[in-house]
Amino acid sequence: MRLLLVEDDDHVAAALAAVLERHGFAVTHARSGEEALQALLPCDAAPFGVVLLDLGLPDQDGYEVCGRIRKRTSTPVIMVTARADVRSRIHGLNLGADDYVVKPYDTGELIARIHAVIRRPAADATATPAEAELRLGGVHIELPTRQVRVDGVAVQLTRKEFDLLALLAQRPGVVFRREQIISEVWRTSWEGTGRTLEVHVASLRAKLHMPALIETVRGVGYRLVAPAS
């Protein structure tokens, strides 16, 4: 699989590229936001499977680059940054990032997260028309097209945000354990994904403008509270 590594530090990029290549990735290195955007232009080569985006770029803010990437491609984006606060993570996810890794990180963690974002659960092609669309009050979730509308207004979600919402919405009122959500949405049992789950829940609440839609069940997990019709 091709991977686009956006990193302005050549020494960091060289070391990371060597690790990624040992895990089977064909790495293309971009040193700036503009180089990254140019690399993503359509060409004869196979498309990138994932973008690893450092936020500290020399020519433009990494958040801006992420937003521009998302406008031209649905390729999964993992942000890499030293900004560890929840607000920064939510901002990155709102711009379309699929995950957010904080420096310093373990390379094993990074590889696990890369594999997690590229394992996109396929929409259920066998679903009946009634099963293909979930209606919860003013929230409409179309599983085959992966579209979400709130009171008729489309809401742009990242792939993992959609997968998380769809999982909870298929069984409203049922408490999903954190481990179960991580297993089904991220397809991993890696414990460090728990923080990413919290950030995705916070981002969903903000994007849907429905903070009470997803309820935290302390010490257990989350459940979706169906709004009144």
Side-chain angles (χ1 to χ4, degrees):
M1 176 177 291
R2 297 182 71 214
L3 179 149
L4 179 60
L5 173 60
V6 189
E7 168 62 65
D8 65 316
D9 188 317
D10 286 342
H11 295 292
V12 171
L16 183 53
V19 173
L20 292 168
E21 287 166 356
R22 286 199 298 271
H23 283 81
F25 293 97
V27 179
T28 296
H29 177 206
R31 295 172 177 80
S32 67
E34 197 56 43
E35 279 189 32
L37 294 167
Q38 289 297 316
L40 287 166
L41 291 174
C43 64
D44 294 335
F48 289 102
V50 65
V51 177
L52 203 56
L53 175 64
D54 186 81
L55 295 185
L57 300 174
D59 59 337
Q60 52 191 297
D61 185 78
Y63 287 123
E64 178 185 349
V65 176
C66 180
R68 293 175 67 186
I69 289 174
R70 187 50 67 234
K71 287 179 180 178
R72 69 175 55 178
T73 178
S74 60
T75 302
V77 176
I78 299 178
M79 287 184 170
V80 182
T81 178
R83 307 173 198 177
D85 61 287
V86 172
R87 181 174 297 180
S88 294
R89 293 174 184 238
I90 292 175
H91 182 48
L93 294 172
N94 284 341
L95 288 171
D98 293 85
D99 204 348
Y100 194 106
V101 177
V102 178
K103 297 179 179 178
Y105 54 80
D106 178 81
T107 54
E109 167 191 344
L110 181 62
I111 297 298
R113 287 177 178 264
I114 291 172
H115 283 298
V117 300
I118 61 180
R119 288 194 208 103
R120 174 180 177 176
D124 185 358
T126 64
T128 66
E131 295 170 332
E133 182 171 356
L134 304 174
R135 294 174 177 265
L136 302 161
V139 181
H140 292 180
I141 305 168
E142 296 180 4
L143 299 179
T145 61
R146 302 177 67 84
Q147 294 182 349
V148 175
R149 300 189 307 278
V150 176
D151 296 328
V153 179
V155 179
Q156 299 299 317
L157 301 181
T158 67
R159 296 184 311 167
K160 292 302 181 187
E161 287 170 350
F162 179 89
D163 294 337
L164 172 58
L165 178 62
L167 175 66
L168 298 177
Q170 289 181 62
R171 299 175 67 189
V174 174
V175 178
F176 285 79
R177 292 178 294 104
R178 294 167 60 89
E179 296 84 356
Q180 179 183 1
I181 297 173
I182 290 170
S183 174
E184 296 196 29
V185 175
W186 277 268
R187 301 298 178 91
T188 180
S189 59
W190 182 67
E191 295 179 356
T193 311
R195 187 58 173 164
T196 296
L197 170 58
E198 294 175 5
V199 173
H200 277 70
V201 169
S203 182
L204 268 177
R205 289 167 173 161
K207 285 187 176 182
L208 298 173
H209 301 290
M210 303 177 75
L213 182 67
I214 301 176
E215 180 182 29
T216 302
V217 181
R218 190 174 300 277
V220 181
Y222 298 93
R223 68 179 164 199
L224 188 140
V225 179
S229 301

